[in-house]
Amino acid sequence: MASLAFHQQPPRQTPTPPPQAPSLSLDTSDLKNGAIPNKHLPYCSPGSAPYLQNAPATPPASPPTPQPEIRTSWVLHPPDAHPKVSASPPVFAIQPTTLVAAVRQSASQELPEPRYVFPWLHGLHPENQIQLAFFTARKKTLRNVPRCFRGLTIIKAGGNLTRSKVTGALAPEEILSSEAGHGGAFLDVDPKEGFSVRNFQIQATKMAVVSDIIVYRDNDVSEKELHKVAKRLSKAQDTWRVKNSSGEQELPRFHVFILSCPFQKFEYEHPEVVAIDSKGQSKGELLDFCTYYRGAAEATQNVWLGPTPDSSICPVPDGADDEPTFDIFIEASDLAQSPELRDLDAVGGLSLEAPQRLEFPSSGSIMPQKWPKAGPLDPVTQMCQWIHSVANPSVTCNVDEEEPDQDGDIPMKTLHSRPRKVLIHCTDGYTESSLLALAYFMYAERVPVHEAWLRLHCEKKRNFFAYSSDVALLSSLQARILELSPGPNNGISGTLQEEPAWLSRIDGSLPSRILPYMYLGNLGHANNPQLLRAMGIKQVLSVGEPISWTKGQKESWGAKNVLFIDRVQDNGVDCLTKDFERCLEFISECSSTIWTPRLDLT
């Protein structure tokens, strides 16, 4: 049993539909198709305007509301209780116990009212007229920097976060400008153009400028470098405060602190606030989303699914003997063409000596079409056949040139080819690679498309992002894939397989697993109750949009298993905090009934 929480994006409205990007075809006789652009750039709709439909077009501005005063006393403020190690710019030193206390106090402080920090956190660049017009056209004071919040930012000098990482730590370059002449300045992260209410990428810097900052180091970084980074940050604070203070009210002062001991001593005394230790191992006290969701996992024998290997994102711990070493890397890419069979054969042979790399078209890149039963295989089935042949090689024969027989013939020698480990990957581990992953799972396990969809997600714990065109493509290829599959014969007939009703209603994607008992989905997922049942989802939390179920469906689910939060839209303006308690209580009740989802293929 699991819960589904979803947030509906209003439909995009444009006067004319955008031009369609060229797509790849199963017809390999024409390879002149151009590469298609990246299809995964999100569109962020502004939703409805934040005023009533019948209200005047330009209602009068509300009188200014004074912000509450910032907290004047906490473990890092005022800083006079800590020794000053630099007078100009000011830098203070703290003990490990103070850092731990600051982390706990920061995490437990009450959040400010959204109206005091938004829309400033959305990013309001003075040259971005679209963003400014939507958020601040009728109330200029909304551009002001919030004065009611004192946060905490932790910086690791040296910036290597693959090891020795305190919980929530950032690298200096994530918030400091590296431009010449800006040695002591924060990054200017407010977007100069475009409109978005989901500028998550700017939040680290936005919060750093209204926070006290702690800098620490490990044994690989010198004390001199530690002080250098701390002074740059202190200068950046002074520069930013002077630039953004107004004549009406000056901004609060924030301060920079350095940890008085290296990380190696700190992690021994306070492992509870350590995310990655000095050996590069994630600590068990924390939920490691990188390992839990982004790591590679074996989908079928010797074939793995996962993100493109990047030690800066998912570090490999020292001495991790259980980490697989791959022989063949297949990257799913928007720019890739289907490889020729001769190239695949060459890669298969070379992979016995050294790791090899291939590319294959990404999800949504190959359009379904009719293909002849006789003749060459389509690129998808051909790729699946080849992957299985290298991952599960059968007994072959090889020439023994040293022992000709008495008639001069060269005898054949039995050779057992080494199985190769194959990684199907893309940047995030599922967005581009889902099509090939689903197709290969169908081929290797001899299962129909709907069962592959559910088993990869529910049994193998893999999130994926496919398109409606992928659903149609795999459905059209299902009979051929199952006919040629070397998997066990479970009485499945590729031509007569009955598809469940939910398959024709999905857009290719499934709800994404956030926690073992909670998924995040969209309105289309919520309006497909047969799919939710098949995934083991038993409760639905709907934010902003009511679900369109029949009376019978509502009765079968039960009123206590569905919660609808109305009077709120996903527009960057409407406030959800007033409903947090209801939502969290509903999720908590759902999660207490059962921990993991149940898979139901019927």
Side-chain angles (χ1 to χ4, degrees):
M1 188 182 299
S3 306
L4 172 71
F6 76 96
H7 207 146
Q8 164 70 1
Q9 295 184 20
R12 180 176 182 174
Q13 296 181 356
T14 55
T16 56
Q20 296 294 322
S23 304
L24 296 180
S25 169
L26 290 177
D27 183 4
T28 56
S29 62
D30 180 12
L31 297 179
K32 296 181 180 180
N33 292 331
I36 64 175
N38 191 298
K39 309 175 300 304
H40 314 293
L41 295 177
Y43 171 77
C44 301
S45 171
S48 302
Y51 48 80
L52 298 177
Q53 182 177 1
N54 297 326
T58 55
S62 303
T65 303
Q67 292 190 25
E69 292 295 326
I70 192 173
R71 176 180 55 188
T72 57
S73 178
W74 79 309
V75 67
L76 296 178
H77 185 81
D80 302 335
H82 310 287
K84 183 180 288 187
V85 295
S86 173
S88 182
V91 176
F92 302 85
I94 59 172
Q95 297 297 318
T97 52
T98 305
L99 187 154
V100 175
V103 170
R104 290 174 175 170
Q105 194 171 21
S106 176
S108 60
Q109 71 173 317
E110 185 176 351
L111 293 175
E113 291 189 40
R115 58 179 172 149
Y116 296 133
V117 293
F118 289 99
W120 179 79
L121 281 174
H122 285 309
L124 302 175
H125 196 280
E127 298 178 13
N128 191 335
Q129 298 304 316
I130 299 178
Q131 195 93 334
L132 291 176
F134 182 79
F135 287 116
T136 68
R138 293 174 288 111
K139 197 171 182 180
K140 304 298 184 184
T141 56
L142 292 176
R143 304 186 189 186
N144 293 342
V145 178
R147 298 180 172 88
C148 58
F149 180 77
R150 181 180 292 275
L152 175 66
T153 296
I154 301 176
I155 299 294
K156 183 188 177 185
N160 181 6
L161 298 176
T162 62
R163 60 186 70 243
S164 305
K165 181 181 179 180
V166 176
T167 301
L170 304 172
E173 56 269 20
E174 292 185 68
I175 64 173
L176 283 175
S177 174
S178 59
E179 296 181 8
H182 292 78
F186 289 114
L187 291 169
D188 186 5
V189 293
D190 289 347
K192 292 184 179 181
E193 56 185 18
F195 173 80
S196 177
V197 295
R198 296 178 180 84
N199 285 320
F200 303 118
Q201 73 282 2
I202 72 174
Q203 298 308 307
T205 303
K206 297 290 285 187
M207 294 304 299
V209 301
V210 291
S211 299
D212 291 316
I213 300 176
I214 298 176
V215 190
Y216 74 97
R217 69 178 181 94
D218 59 13
N219 289 337
D220 295 333
V221 177
S222 66
E223 186 83 15
K224 181 179 179 180
E225 178 65 20
L226 175 70
H227 283 258
K228 180 181 177 181
V229 173
K231 290 179 179 179
R232 285 183 62 198
L233 289 164
S234 184
K235 289 180 180 178
Q237 286 181 335
D238 289 340
T239 302
W240 188 87
R241 183 172 180 272
V242 170
K243 179 181 177 181
N244 292 276
S245 291
S246 63
E248 302 174 358
Q249 185 178 1
E250 289 190 350
L251 293 175
R253 288 190 178 273
F254 301 97
H255 306 281
V256 176
F257 304 82
I258 61 172
L259 186 62
S260 59
C261 68
F263 177 85
Q264 280 74 3
K265 179 181 178 182
F266 175 82
E267 70 172 335
Y268 177 77
E269 297 176 349
H270 302 283
E272 69 275 14
V273 291
V274 172
I276 303 176
D277 64 19
S278 55
K279 296 182 179 179
Q281 297 178 335
S282 298
K283 303 303 292 181
E285 291 84 354
L286 300 170
L287 177 59
D288 183 4
F289 284 94
C290 175
T291 302
Y292 193 81
Y293 292 111
R294 286 185 51 88
E298 191 172 17
T300 65
Q301 183 173 341
N302 293 327
V303 177
W304 298 63
L305 309 178
T308 299
D310 186 349
S311 61
S312 66
I313 298 177
C314 290
V316 178
D318 292 342
D321 296 331
D322 57 340
E323 288 294 318
T325 301
F326 300 110
D327 302 294
I328 299 174
F329 297 82
I330 304 175
E331 181 177 11
S333 169
D334 290 342
L335 305 179
Q337 295 283 353
S338 301
E340 296 283 353
L341 183 58
R342 61 176 179 273
D343 297 327
L344 294 176
D345 291 339
V347 167
L350 293 172
S351 64
L352 292 169
E353 306 297 331
Q356 301 295 309
R357 299 182 182 274
L358 279 172
E359 288 188 343
F360 191 80
S362 65
S363 303
S365 296
I366 302 178
M367 295 296 105
Q369 67 175 45
K370 293 183 179 180
W371 50 277
K373 294 184 178 180
L377 290 177
D378 62 90
V380 176
T381 307
Q382 177 178 279
M383 190 68 175
C384 293
Q385 263 194 340
W386 177 80
I387 293 174
H388 192 274
S389 70
V390 296
N392 305 274
S394 57
V395 176
T396 59
C397 294
N398 192 22
V399 175
D400 188 342
E401 299 180 354
E402 298 182 357
E403 300 180 2
D405 61 18
Q406 59 183 357
D407 297 326
D409 297 326
I410 300 177
M412 305 299 290
K413 178 181 178 182
T414 301
L415 175 66
H416 295 271
S417 180
R418 175 177 64 85
R420 271 83 88 197
K421 289 186 176 181
V422 180
L423 175 65
I424 300 174
H425 66 97
C426 62
T427 301
D428 60 12
Y430 64 92
T431 301
E432 285 86 8
S433 58
S434 294
L435 171 62
L436 182 57
L438 287 162
Y440 183 74
F441 194 85
M442 292 172 61
Y443 180 83
E445 299 293 323
R446 194 181 175 84
V447 295
V449 59
H450 68 272
E451 185 173 338
W453 235 275
L454 290 177
R455 287 182 57 185
L456 268 181
H457 191 78
C458 300
E459 289 184 4
K460 304 301 180 179
K461 312 299 182 185
R462 301 304 303 178
N463 287 332
F464 52 86
F465 186 92
Y467 291 84
S468 55
S469 61
D470 296 327
V471 180
L473 173 64
L474 293 177
S475 296
S476 68
L477 296 177
Q478 175 173 282
R480 190 71 177 272
I481 289 176
L482 297 183
E483 177 187 354
L484 298 175
S485 170
N489 190 343
N490 299 317
I492 296 176
S493 171
T495 57
L496 300 177
Q497 181 67 26
E498 183 178 353
E499 295 180 345
W502 59 259
L503 184 64
S504 62
R505 300 185 60 188
I506 66 173
D507 59 2
S509 66
L510 295 184
S512 297
R513 182 183 290 105
I514 305 301
L515 293 171
Y517 58 86
M518 187 171 71
Y519 290 76
L520 179 65
N522 58 32
L523 186 59
H525 299 142
N527 281 329
N528 195 346
Q530 296 93 339
L531 170 64
L532 304 185
R533 288 289 192 189
M535 295 180 64
I537 295 173
K538 304 298 183 183
Q539 291 89 17
V540 176
L541 169 60
S542 169
V543 180
E545 287 287 343
I547 52 180
S548 301
W549 289 0
T550 65
K551 182 179 179 180
Q553 289 171 336
K554 292 178 180 179
E555 292 176 350
S556 67
W557 280 68
K560 67 177 182 179
N561 292 320
V562 179
L563 176 62
F564 171 50
I565 304 298
D566 59 354
R567 298 185 302 276
V568 62
Q569 289 189 340
D570 188 14
N571 57 12
V573 175
D574 290 350
C575 181
L576 187 60
T577 53
K578 64 182 183 300
D579 296 299
F580 273 176
E581 187 173 349
R582 290 176 62 200
C583 294
L584 295 176
E585 185 177 317
F586 177 79
I587 294 173
S588 179
E589 291 177 357
C590 296
S591 65
S592 63
T593 50
I594 194 165
W595 182 252
T596 53
R598 181 173 67 251
L599 176 62
D600 182 6
L601 295 177
T602 60

